[in-house]
């Protein structure tokens, strides 16, 4: 498998006539995007690997630990990789699956919001449109800050559920609702998905986003009922007749909408609430896709009965497991993977009552997960790229001692990931970011003529000698400090030093030619001993600016090249 191919045009394209290269985008392109003519046109059908869910018992070393952590964290640090290497796979998974304590809520950092002092939370204040903009920015900044700081699997699953049970903060227009939603997803990120689905159904943010708060007995709104079936639980399946999508029918959407009537959102309590007079009290009849089940009037408990019925379908577990697989392993699910991975994991999910943790442990501890074809095989999302860059190169962050500065830095990175086409809190639509569902391109969509240069701009800016200043705080990569944290023998040997960077930054080993090129980048036309000599000169006089700049300049040049390589875009 050539994992670098996504940054190269195929040979056929290089010789194709101009008319072919200029062909208009297909109708399946997401709104506002044009899929590259060099992108995948079809998915492979041959088995990528026959490895199954048998517990992995192979080599456990730096490479395996780094692979696991890259998929489970937003960029593991060298120290985290080292610590994981000295533990067992089981111990590392236990740590990853142990959720941290709940963080304090977001705080006000703007003089515009006069409802609370700077540094105090606004989440229970009365809604005020004049303050909504700065509160929403505070929420986004806080959310990114938690993802950056969390060293467990919870952070990745928090984002997973945001991409799954989608709401858009700009659409709901109440940051307090947004915080309630974000906390709901965070608190249950590693918990029970059936319970989470029930809670999301009557969450004020979702009631407002998909118009459940407008649904009455006389005018049932189908928006949430449709997305509950199509996107959140059982999925469509192949169209087999007019209004029949295999896993549900249009009549099922209508019946679900009736079962969900009567719910509204309360802007004072920031909660969903039930009004009996607005609820459809008839018996809701479902199709053969649901074994012709009927749901009688259940008042304010009826939505739970509906969710229980949907989760009683075997396809719901399979649909959820496929999404988890694409999030943590790879986007191609061939027939062999469906049989060896998806089906048994779906059975496990059903048998343990839809608790996600055990399923994740089985998948992440499997031979399949550690198979070579699943290492470094998918493109990082903008959040993976940007937060990983900060974490892996250990860019210093402001502390809560200056919350305005801290939130300003987090807000800055939200802006950068937005430019890379992933804006935390606002997926493009209810289906989530297209890179997680649009076939056959999937995560290829993260890389295009706009986003790739923007990624490079982020890393290049942090690698300059002046860095980026935000609200008086300097964001800068300090490569000298990073190298000083290495063992002395590694730091003074240019080849060992380069390998130390590769171990952290790259998802798999580089070729001999690539390593030689990086050596020449560090020491253009110079023998290896020149680095050893300069490094030791710096160590002998660390306050000497000229000697420090001599090694820092070389290290920045090296890192600039490494971070622009195709391999760094992969996880």
């Amino acid at each position: 498998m050539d994992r670098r191919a996504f940054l190269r045009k195929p040979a056929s394209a290089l010789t194709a006539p101009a008319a072919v290269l200029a062909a208009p985008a297909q109708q399946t392109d997401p709104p506002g995007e044009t899929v590259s003519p060099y992108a995948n046109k079809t998915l492979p059908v041959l088995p990528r690997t026959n490895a199954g869910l048998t517990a992995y018992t192979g080599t456990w070393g730096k490479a395996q630990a780094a692979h696991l952590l890259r998929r489970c964290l937003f960029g593991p640090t060298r120290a985290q990789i080292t610590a994981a290497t000295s533990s067992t796979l089981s111990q590392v998974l236990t740590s990853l699956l142990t959720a941290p304590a709940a963080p304090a809520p977001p705080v006000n950092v703007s003089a515009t919001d006069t409802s609370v002092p700077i540094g105090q939370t606004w989440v229970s204040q009365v809604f005020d449109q004049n303050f909504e903009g700065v509160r929403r920015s505070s929420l986004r900044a806080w959310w990114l800050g938690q993802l950056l700081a969390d060293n467990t699997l919870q952070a990745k699953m928090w984002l997973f559920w945001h991409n799954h049970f989608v709401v858009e903060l700009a659409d709901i227009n109440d940051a307090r609702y947004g915080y309630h939603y974000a906390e709901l997803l965070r608190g249950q990120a590693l918990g029970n998905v059936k319970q989470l689905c029930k809670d999301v159904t009557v969450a004020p943010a979702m009631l407002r986003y998909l118009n459940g708060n407008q649904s009455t007995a006389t005018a049932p709104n189908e928006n949430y009922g449709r997305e509950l079936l199509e996107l959140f639980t059982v999925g469509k399946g192949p169209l087999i007749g007019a209004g029949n999508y295999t896993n549900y029918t249009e009549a099922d959407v209508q019946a679900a909408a009736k079962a969900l009537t009567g719910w509204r959102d309360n802007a004072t309590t920031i909660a969903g609430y039930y009004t009996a007079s607005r609820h459809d009290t008839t018996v809701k009849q479902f199709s053969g896709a649901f074994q012709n089940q009927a749901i009688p009037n259940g008042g304010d408990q009826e939505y739970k009965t509906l969710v229980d019925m949907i989760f009683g379908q075997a396809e719901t577990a399979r649909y959820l497991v496929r999404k988890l697989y694409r999030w943590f392993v790879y986007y191609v699910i061939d027939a062999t993977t469906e049989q060896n991975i998806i089906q048994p994991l779906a059975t496990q999910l059903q048998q343990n009552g839809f608790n996600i943790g055990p399923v994740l442990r089985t998948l992440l501890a499997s031979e399949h997960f550690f198979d070579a074809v699943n290492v470094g095989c998918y493109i990082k999302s903008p959040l993976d790229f940007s937060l990983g860059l900060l974490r892996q190169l250990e860019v210093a962050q402001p502390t809560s001692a200056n919350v305005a500065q801290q939130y300003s830095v987090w807000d800055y990175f939200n802006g950068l990931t937005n430019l890379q086409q992933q804006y935390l809190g606002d997926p493009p639509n209810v289906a989530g970011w297209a890179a997680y569902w649009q076939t056959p391109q999937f995560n290829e969509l993260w890389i295009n003529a706009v986003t790739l240069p923007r990624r490079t701009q982020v890393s290049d800016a942090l690698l300059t000698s002046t860095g980026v200043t935000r609200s008086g705080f300097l964001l800068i990569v300090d490569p000298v400090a990073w190298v000083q944290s290495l063992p002395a023998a590694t730091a003074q040997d240019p080849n060992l030093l380069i390998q130390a960077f590769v171990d952290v930054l790259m998802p798999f080993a580089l070729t001999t030619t690539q390593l030689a090129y990086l050596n020449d980048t560090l020491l253009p036309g110079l023998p290896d001993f020149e680095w050893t000599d300069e490094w030791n000169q710096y160590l002998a006089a660390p306050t000497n600016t000229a000697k420090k700049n001599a090694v820092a300049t070389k290290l920045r040049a090296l890192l600039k090249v490494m971070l622009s390589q195709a391999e760094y875009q992969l996880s």
Side-chain angles (χ1 to χ4, degrees):
M1 172 181 290
D2 184 354
R3 297 176 177 84
R4 305 172 182 87
F6 73 95
L7 285 183
R8 296 198 299 269
K9 298 178 183 179
S12 59
L14 294 175
T15 57
V20 174
L21 297 182
Q26 298 297 311
Q27 293 296 313
T28 55
D29 288 358
E33 295 184 40
T34 299
V35 174
S36 166
Y38 314 114
N40 280 341
K41 298 300 187 294
T42 59
L43 291 176
V45 294
L46 295 176
R48 298 176 63 249
T49 172
N50 290 314
L53 292 174
T54 302
Y56 176 73
T57 57
T59 301
W60 177 252
K62 190 179 298 181
Q64 292 74 29
H67 170 57
L68 176 64
L69 295 182
R70 284 190 186 97
R71 296 297 175 86
C72 295
L73 305 177
F74 289 102
T77 65
R78 189 178 69 86
Q80 288 173 324
I81 294 172
T82 301
T85 303
S86 63
S87 300
T88 66
L89 171 57
S90 178
Q91 289 170 334
V92 175
L93 283 172
T94 296
S95 177
L96 289 169
L97 287 163
T98 302
V107 300
N108 176 36
V109 292
S110 172
T112 300
D113 189 347
T114 56
S115 65
V116 292
I118 300 292
Q120 293 189 19
T121 189
W122 45 262
V123 299
S124 59
Q125 295 298 308
V126 174
F127 175 80
D128 189 321
Q129 189 64 57
N130 294 315
F131 306 153
E132 174 59 18
V134 294
R135 287 179 179 176
R136 200 182 304 160
S137 294
S138 167
L139 173 59
R140 289 188 210 277
W142 170 85
W143 196 343
L144 182 136
Q146 306 315 309
L147 298 183
L148 180 61
D150 192 342
N151 290 321
T152 73
L153 192 52
Q154 182 189 65
K156 275 289 182 78
M157 285 301 296
W158 190 0
L159 187 63
F160 172 85
W161 292 124
H162 175 38
N163 182 68
H164 182 78
F165 292 114
V166 172
V167 306
E168 299 173 63
L169 297 182
D171 283 12
I172 63 175
N173 193 45
D174 192 326
R176 305 169 311 153
Y177 280 29
Y179 171 67
H180 177 276
Y181 160 82
E183 266 298 276
L184 175 61
L185 301 187
R186 184 205 59 78
Q188 299 191 42
L190 295 171
N192 188 287
V193 60
K194 182 161 73 170
Q195 184 60 50
L196 177 58
C197 184
K198 291 177 180 178
D199 293 343
V200 164
T201 296
V202 294
M206 187 63 78
L207 287 169
R208 181 174 291 188
Y209 178 59
L210 289 179
N211 311 112
N213 59 358
Q214 301 171 18
S215 193
T216 66
T218 55
N221 189 293
E222 295 179 8
N223 282 359
Y224 185 76
R226 182 175 304 281
E227 309 308 355
L228 176 65
L229 294 172
E230 179 179 345
L231 299 176
F232 299 166
T233 55
V234 74
K236 265 189 173 181
L239 181 67
I240 58 176
N244 187 337
Y245 311 107
T246 303
N247 298 331
Y248 66 90
T249 67
E250 280 296 314
D252 293 327
V253 171
Q254 295 161 9
K258 292 177 181 179
L260 295 165
T261 53
W263 285 91
R264 309 177 75 181
D265 61 291
N266 188 314
T268 300
T269 62
I270 315 175
Y273 70 98
Y274 174 79
T275 302
S277 63
R278 293 165 62 97
H279 181 63
D280 185 312
T281 59
T282 65
V283 174
K284 289 78 179 179
Q285 181 63 52
F286 289 83
S287 73
F290 294 95
Q291 298 78 49
N292 297 309
Q293 292 183 66
I295 297 180
N297 176 40
D300 64 352
Q301 300 300 302
E302 193 169 328
Y303 76 96
K304 296 179 182 178
T305 304
L306 173 64
V307 171
D308 285 339
M309 182 192 74
I310 297 170
F311 273 78
Q313 308 306 303
E315 185 57 32
T316 297
R318 289 192 288 266
Y319 179 81
L320 292 168
V321 167
R322 289 187 197 108
K323 292 197 74 170
L324 287 169
Y325 182 88
R326 290 192 169 107
W327 191 263
F328 286 104
V329 186
Y330 194 51
Y331 61 82
V332 174
I333 300 176
D334 53 47
T336 301
T337 299
E338 180 73 22
Q339 177 181 334
N340 293 349
I341 306 300
I342 305 303
Q343 298 285 1
L345 284 179
T347 298
Q348 182 184 9
L349 184 61
Q350 287 180 294
Q351 290 177 345
N352 67 29
F354 290 93
N355 290 306
I356 288 292
V359 171
L360 290 176
R361 179 181 279 271
T362 298
L363 175 62
L364 297 173
S366 69
E367 288 182 346
H368 186 89
F369 180 78
F370 287 98
D371 191 285
V373 302
N374 290 323
V375 177
C377 60
Y378 74 62
I379 299 169
K380 294 175 183 175
S381 72
L383 279 165
D384 261 320
F385 173 83
S386 301
L387 299 185
L389 181 66
L390 295 176
R391 287 167 59 99
Q392 291 179 313
L393 291 180
E394 301 175 26
V395 177
Q397 299 290 307
T399 69
S400 58
N402 187 336
V403 291
Q405 189 178 68
Q406 186 179 54
Y407 275 60
S408 178
V409 166
W410 293 339
D411 183 65
Y412 170 68
F413 274 93
N414 266 325
L416 293 180
T417 58
N418 187 25
L419 290 174
Q420 298 166 50
Q421 300 179 0
Q422 187 178 33
Y423 197 26
L424 186 58
D426 274 281
N429 52 54
V430 69
W433 287 288
Y436 297 116
W437 59 264
Q438 180 166 303
T439 186
Q441 291 84 26
F442 285 98
N443 56 58
E444 286 187 7
L445 295 172
W446 290 131
I447 300 291
N448 55 54
V450 174
T451 60
L452 185 59
R454 286 174 175 165
R455 290 186 180 213
T456 303
Q457 289 165 7
V458 173
S459 56
D460 283 358
L462 294 176
L463 282 169
T464 63
S465 59
T466 54
V468 175
T469 299
R470 185 73 175 179
S471 296
F473 188 85
L474 179 62
L475 291 162
I476 189 170
V477 173
D478 186 347
V480 176
W482 200 97
V483 173
Q484 278 186 294
S485 69
L486 298 171
T490 301
Q492 68 179 359
D493 183 314
N495 297 305
L496 294 178
L497 165 63
I498 290 168
Q499 189 59 52
F501 277 121
V502 169
D503 289 343
V504 174
L505 300 177
M506 305 304 188
F508 45 79
L510 300 186
T511 66
T512 302
T513 301
Q514 287 177 306
L515 293 172
Y517 177 75
L518 292 177
N519 181 289
D520 195 53
T521 301
L522 180 68
L523 296 167
L526 299 173
D528 288 358
F529 70 78
E530 288 288 349
W531 170 259
T532 305
D533 184 53
E534 286 194 47
W535 180 253
N536 287 331
Q537 285 187 45
Y538 160 68
L539 292 180
T543 59
N544 185 304
T545 302
K547 294 185 184 300
K548 182 175 183 178
N549 286 342
V551 294
T553 300
K554 288 180 170 61
L555 290 171
R556 289 193 182 100
L558 171 67
L559 286 171
K560 185 173 181 179
V561 169
M562 293 185 73
L563 298 181
S564 66
Q565 287 183 289
E567 288 80 2
Y568 187 67
Q569 310 301 324
L570 298 171
S571 173

